[in-house]
Amino acid sequence: MTELSHPETTSVYLKTSQKMVWPNASFFYLLTANGLFLCRNHPFFRSCTAARNWPSILATQHVFLAPNYPKMPRLMIEQIVGFFAAVAALHRAEAGVLLAWDTAAEQLHIVVPQQRATVACTDSGDQYPIGLEYETPTDLPASWTIVGDVHSHVHAGPTPSTIDNDDETYRAGLHIVVGRLNLEPPDFHAEAVVDGTRFRLKLDHVMESYQRRAANAPADWLQKVSVKVDNISNNDNNKEQAHGES
């Protein structure tokens, strides 16, 4: 049991063991694994009830993130965008890369995992991206730590989707989305997730100024992208679009 006290108010005890000795104070708070409790030692009873308010001794605190991430060099982000654009041109599909921090060399590296993009294809041949799956490689150098990821939304905007939010909720680190690859420059969206909380970041927090995408994507990167095509009827596609626009 740990006591946190203040000369002008009551004490706050932390219950760190089921075998804690019950405090002698006439009035105190008890902070436990299942909540905050208001406790009394009265001449006629001893009580422990759920606290309706926090102790007045406490000051308020706001949620924040002060970023200090290593910035992606300009050539790095331009190479990534060039890769995304090549995959979009070949398959009209999403693609992704991981960012690894080399603690020994103190620099970022691009890691391109084996990945499978899913696209939908209508009877008329229209094709559009649905999603992307990949796993973090397990054979990285010992000094490398994955600190983030970058993925594309092809020609759609870079705002994270519901799937993105769900996938990244407990995946700490940077999450950068590149959208509108049909434009130059494309659109970027950067966020960080810490302990399940998302924080929007300014681009200059995580990358140097972008100028122009790389003209060619490395062949070994492209070979790591496979595409699954889901065929749907035009009627089904119209229904999906109508549902999405409602």
Side-chain angles (χ1 to χ4, degrees), residues 150-183:
V150 189
H151 78 275
S152 68
H153 277 181
V154 193
H155 300 325
T159 302
S161 65
T162 301
I163 294 176
D164 292 338
N165 290 335
D166 291 343
D167 288 346
E168 297 163 358
T169 297
Y170 297 104
R171 191 190 304 163
L174 292 174
H175 304 291
I176 301 171
V177 183
V178 185
R180 307 198 190 285
L181 290 169
N182 53 317
L183 304 177

Side-chain angles (χ1 to χ4, degrees), residues 141-233:
S143 62
W144 289 22
T145 301
I146 299 298
V147 295
D149 56 69
V150 189
H151 78 275
S152 68
H153 277 181
V154 193
H155 300 325
T159 302
S161 65
T162 301
I163 294 176
D164 292 338
N165 290 335
D166 291 343
D167 288 346
E168 297 163 358
T169 297
Y170 297 104
R171 191 190 304 163
L174 292 174
H175 304 291
I176 301 171
V177 183
V178 185
R180 307 198 190 285
L181 290 169
N182 53 317
L183 304 177
E184 183 67 296
D187 289 343
F188 297 91
H189 183 100
E191 293 188 350
V193 174
V194 180
D195 293 326
T197 299
R198 302 180 70 89
F199 298 90
R200 178 74 182 270
L201 299 178
K202 295 181 179 179
L203 293 181
D204 59 9
H205 286 156
V206 295
M207 56 185 280
E208 294 179 353
S209 296
Y210 173 92
Q211 293 184 11
R212 180 168 293 277
R213 71 194 64 183
N216 300 301
D220 58 326
W221 290 17
L222 295 173
Q223 290 171 359
K224 293 185 177 181
V225 180
S226 62
V227 179
K228 175 187 176 184
V229 179
D230 284 346
N231 293 312
I232 64 173
S233 69

Side-chain angles (χ1 to χ4, degrees), residues 38-53:
L38 189 62
C39 305
R40 297 179 185 274
N41 288 313
H42 188 273
F44 299 151
F45 60 83
R46 184 170 61 178
S47 65
C48 180
T49 61
R52 298 180 180 178
N53 300 296

